Amino acid sequence: MTDLSVKIGSLVLKNPVMVASGTFGYAEEFKDFFDLNQIGGIITKTVTLEPRPGNAPPRIAETASGMLNSIGLPNVGVEHFIIEKMPFLQPLSTKIIVNVAGKTGEDFVEAVVRLEDVDRIDAYELNYSCPNVKEGGLTFSANAAIAEQVTRNVRKVTNRPLIAKLTPNVTSISEIGKAVENGGADAVSAINTLVGMAVDLGKKRPKLSTITGGLSGPAIKPVALAKVFELVQNLSIPVIAIGGIMNATDALEFLLTGAVAIQVGTANFINPRAPLDILEGVRDYFDKNRIDGISSFIGSIKT
Ligand code: SIN
């Protein structure tokens, strides 16, 4: 059996299949569907310093080959997260990556400081890219100087690996990627959702309460592949792929393009076992093709 382990800075995943923040709750919700320890990592729903109710409904709309969401980062806040959510995650043997966001740069730093004493957090994913909130969100990943400074400030308070989650809603994603690399990020994850809108003709209204939301699912996979490729070409730190990964073929395409690992997102809403199915498909591909190590496959695309 091929060794599927991959390295993201000092973080070693047993395999490259993770679940994307916001599509897998705090993992307990999925515990009856498969053995969570089989996948490479779990990325929690975003945690912020203070609890947030999220946006008013409707906050989900189905679109052709995709889904629009405008959830608005609802979460229990960092203190409740530590008390209520971490006890389920701590005994797991997969990697636990806590996704953190804030209205301000200081919020990111403060939330990470509170999480630093908590056992079994293996890394942080800094959510610089939620398109659905008025304060924070895209402010951080649409401006290279801000993205670099916030990353540098968080870097000062933790030795744990930092993954910066980037938005495609910018002119140059690699400029922002370079900035977070300079600020001390160990990796980037890309892409978060694309800003989109859906209209209800009958009601003559937008389908989402916030008018626009974030588009995910198969519709965005080609955009994600292009952005991942651009990041891989321009950065020295690893790139983790997100964007319409529905099956093993999708995952393998991103690995071939140079991503060291992948996150399964929208697929979880259709098939809660999708991460395991994808992992099994990736493993089968490597075994059938007698590929010795995953590292020789990653980035081996012929251009
Ligand atoms: C949301 O909660 O609005 C989605 C999360 C995100 O896009 O980062």
Side-chain angles (χ1 to χ4, degrees):
M1 226 193 243
T2 312
D3 173 12
L4 291 183
S5 63
V6 292
K7 261 187 99 179
I8 299 168
S10 58
L11 181 70
V12 179
L13 306 182
K14 62 180 99 169
N15 62 64
V17 178
M18 297 193 278
V19 287
S21 175
T23 67
F24 212 71
Y26 299 99
E28 189 165 7
E29 298 87 331
F30 285 75
K31 70 178 188 313
D32 297 329
F33 293 105
F34 66 94
D35 173 9
L36 302 176
N37 292 317
Q38 298 213 45
I39 58 173
I42 289 168
I43 306 182
T44 68
K45 174 65 184 163
T46 298
V47 178
T48 52
L49 200 51
E50 305 297 337
R52 292 176 57 92
N55 294 333
R59 49 192 200 179
I60 294 271
E62 227 176 293
T63 60
S65 299
M67 185 181 99
L68 274 173
N69 88 79
S70 177
I71 307 296
L73 305 179
N75 76 95
V76 293
V78 71
E79 298 304 341
H80 285 276
F81 169 78
I82 294 168
I83 296 164
E84 292 166 20
K85 309 296 180 186
M86 276 309 294
F88 174 79
L89 296 165
Q90 275 159 333
L92 298 178
S93 66
T94 184
K95 298 296 179 193
I96 305 303
I97 300 168
V98 178
N99 182 296
V100 177
K103 288 184 193 162
T104 63
E106 291 76 41
D107 279 5
F108 276 90
V109 174
E110 189 58 31
V112 168
V113 166
R114 307 259 179 111
L115 291 162
E116 273 298 279
D117 291 336
V118 180
D119 283 345
R120 280 291 287 110
I121 294 177
D122 296 296
Y124 301 108
E125 183 176 63
L126 304 175
N127 188 356
Y128 291 158
S129 46
C130 175
N132 306 326
V133 288
K134 285 205 183 80
E135 294 162 296
L138 296 186
T139 324
F140 297 106
S141 64
N143 181 311
I146 295 176
E148 180 170 341
Q149 192 56 53
V150 176
T151 309
R152 179 160 291 124
N153 291 346
V154 177
R155 179 75 291 165
K156 285 184 195 148
V157 298
T158 182
N159 290 322
R160 288 172 171 162
L162 293 178
I163 302 164
K165 186 168 182 177
L166 304 182
T167 179
N169 302 299
V170 286
T171 310
S172 169
I173 196 169
S174 48
E175 185 196 344
I176 310 295
K178 268 277 164 217
V180 297
E181 180 177 325
N182 291 338
D186 298 279
V188 294
S189 52
I191 55 174
N192 205 328
T193 53
L194 284 149
V195 172
M197 177 170 167
V199 172
D200 186 324
L201 184 60
K203 294 186 182 148
K204 297 195 167 67
R205 284 176 163 281
K207 286 191 178 170
L208 296 176
S209 70
T210 50
I211 304 177
T212 61
L215 181 66
S216 63
I220 74 164
K221 193 185 100 178
V223 178
L225 277 166
K227 299 297 177 195
V228 165
F229 184 69
E230 180 186 331
L231 288 165
V232 169
Q233 297 303 306
N234 288 287
L235 304 192
S236 311
I237 53 176
V239 178
I240 301 165
I242 326 165
I245 299 172
M246 307 302 283
N247 53 46
T249 303
D250 294 336
L252 287 159
E253 287 172 13
F254 277 101
L255 296 173
L256 193 65
T257 302
V260 294
I262 60 102
Q263 297 181 16
V264 181
T266 304
N268 298 324
F269 296 112
I270 300 164
N271 170 15
R273 282 176 54 92
L276 186 63
D277 293 348
I278 290 172
L279 173 59
E280 285 170 354
V282 168
R283 189 170 278 138
D284 278 358
Y285 177 87
F286 281 114
D287 290 346
K288 281 194 189 116
N289 291 283
R290 297 178 191 283
I291 298 169
D292 276 346
I294 189 167
S295 50
S296 62
F297 181 80
I298 289 173
S300 62
I301 189 165
K302 297 175 191 144
T303 52

